[in-house]
Amino acid sequence: MLDWWVRRSRDGRVSLSMLALVVSLSGALVLGLTSWVPRVMARDIGIVDVEPGLLEVAQGARGVQSLGAGLSVSLFTSGFRLARGSEVLADTVTRGAPVSAMFGSVTEGGEHPRETVSGVLSTVRIDAVRRVGDVVEYLGVVRDSSTSRPLRIKFEPTDGSIRMDVLVPAVDALAIHLDWRPATTGIAPALPERNLRERAYWVDPTVIAQPAFTWVLGTDVSIGPVQVPRAVDLRQDGRIAVHVWAPRAVVTVTDTPRMP
């Protein structure tokens, strides 16, 4: 093509300035593709974007519940908040379902696992709250337009942490939707020790019990159970999705900042 432009320019029918413009545009196109393609490929690591649905909260389930030792969990139409006194430890996604239930499978092999999702229950309704000692349970359902499953979300204090234990029977996986916070950084070896923004990551399957990431709130977040595939997705603005391929997922948030 360049030879053609050169021949045309010799005949006086195409200016050299036009030739320079074509060469410049071609170079810009190549440069753009070489920088764009790796970013797209890096985002495709086999983790499905699961979008939270609506959150409905019965009036009787709303309010603040003490977990002892200054720790608390609260639920309003905006979602769940975990706190120590007035200090926020974690929030679920704002005005969206804190949990989605998935049907599908994980294929192992290759560079990383790959999720196949055939259905998602994305709307959550919390009907009631009950407590036994310092343990608080929220009961409700997670559903779509045709299918529903019972939902139990239990909060309990454990060794200076708050454990969020989610159970949805007869599903293949759960996604816990947390509210996004700046400086969400992986904790090695569970996740890369860098800012995790705009990417999705599989948690190292060899890690037995160790925090996966921290954030600007200064607390650590662990993901369980450890015997199943787990992932963290930060590709969408305003939320962090924690995927656990089991009908039960546990997210533990420390109530004390990490030591430098």
Side-chain angles (χ1 to χ4, degrees):
M1 182 176 181
L2 183 60
D3 291 341
W4 181 86
W5 277 101
V6 171
R7 289 196 302 271
R8 298 281 289 181
S9 65
R10 287 172 179 170
D11 294 338
R13 284 172 288 185
V14 179
S15 67
L16 290 177
S17 61
M18 183 63 73
L19 175 60
L21 176 61
V22 171
V23 173
S24 176
L25 290 175
S26 299
L29 177 61
V30 172
L31 180 61
L33 286 174
T34 56
S35 61
W36 175 73
V37 171
R39 289 201 302 269
V40 173
M41 296 299 290
R43 290 164 67 93
D44 180 21
I45 64 165
I47 299 172
V48 176
D49 175 23
V50 178
E51 185 174 357
L54 299 176
L55 171 62
E56 304 166 359
V57 184
Q59 189 66 40
R62 301 178 189 181
V64 180
Q65 301 288 333
S66 173
L67 299 174
L71 301 174
S72 67
V73 58
S74 60
L75 174 62
F76 295 95
T77 55
S78 57
F80 287 100
R81 167 163 288 183
L82 284 61
R84 179 181 65 245
S86 60
E87 182 179 359
V88 177
L89 304 180
D91 290 320
T92 58
V93 65
T94 303
R95 296 193 178 278
V99 179
S100 295
M102 296 179 280
F103 301 98
S105 61
V106 171
T107 303
E108 301 284 353
E111 295 182 0
H112 50 70
R114 180 166 293 275
E115 297 179 339
T116 300
V117 176
S118 58
V120 179
L121 308 180
S122 59
T123 296
V124 166
R125 187 184 74 237
I126 302 296
D127 297 316
V129 58
R130 67 185 183 189
R131 63 181 305 133
V132 177
D134 289 333
V135 177
V136 178
E137 289 187 338
Y138 293 86
L139 305 175
V141 297
V142 56
R143 59 178 174 79
D144 63 9
S145 59
S146 61
T147 305
S148 68
R149 293 286 188 274
L151 167 67
R152 186 223 66 199
I153 306 177
K154 179 170 66 174
F155 294 90
E156 59 182 322
T158 57
D159 298 327
S161 304
I162 298 178
R163 177 183 294 165
M164 179 182 181
D165 188 326
V166 181
L167 176 65
V168 180
V171 301
D172 297 309
L174 298 175
I176 310 300
H177 303 291
L178 301 176
D179 200 36
W180 178 84
R181 298 287 181 171
T184 300
T185 304
I187 301 176
L191 290 173
E193 197 167 351
R194 61 172 180 264
N195 195 308
L196 304 179
R197 62 187 178 186
E198 300 179 355
R199 295 282 298 275
Y201 304 83
W202 289 98
V203 176
D204 189 329
T206 64
V207 173
I208 302 302
Q210 185 248 340
F213 63 88
T214 186
W215 46 21
V216 73
L217 298 175
T219 53
D220 294 349
V221 180
S222 301
I223 306 167
V226 297
Q227 302 90 350
V228 301
R230 296 157 290 154
V232 177
D233 187 355
L234 291 89
R235 292 173 295 184
Q236 304 302 323
D237 291 339
R239 55 185 167 93
I240 301 172
V242 174
H243 292 204
V244 177
W245 278 87
R248 175 175 173 256
V250 179
V251 172
T252 304
V253 181
T254 62
D255 74 330
T256 53
R258 300 185 72 208
M259 297 300 293

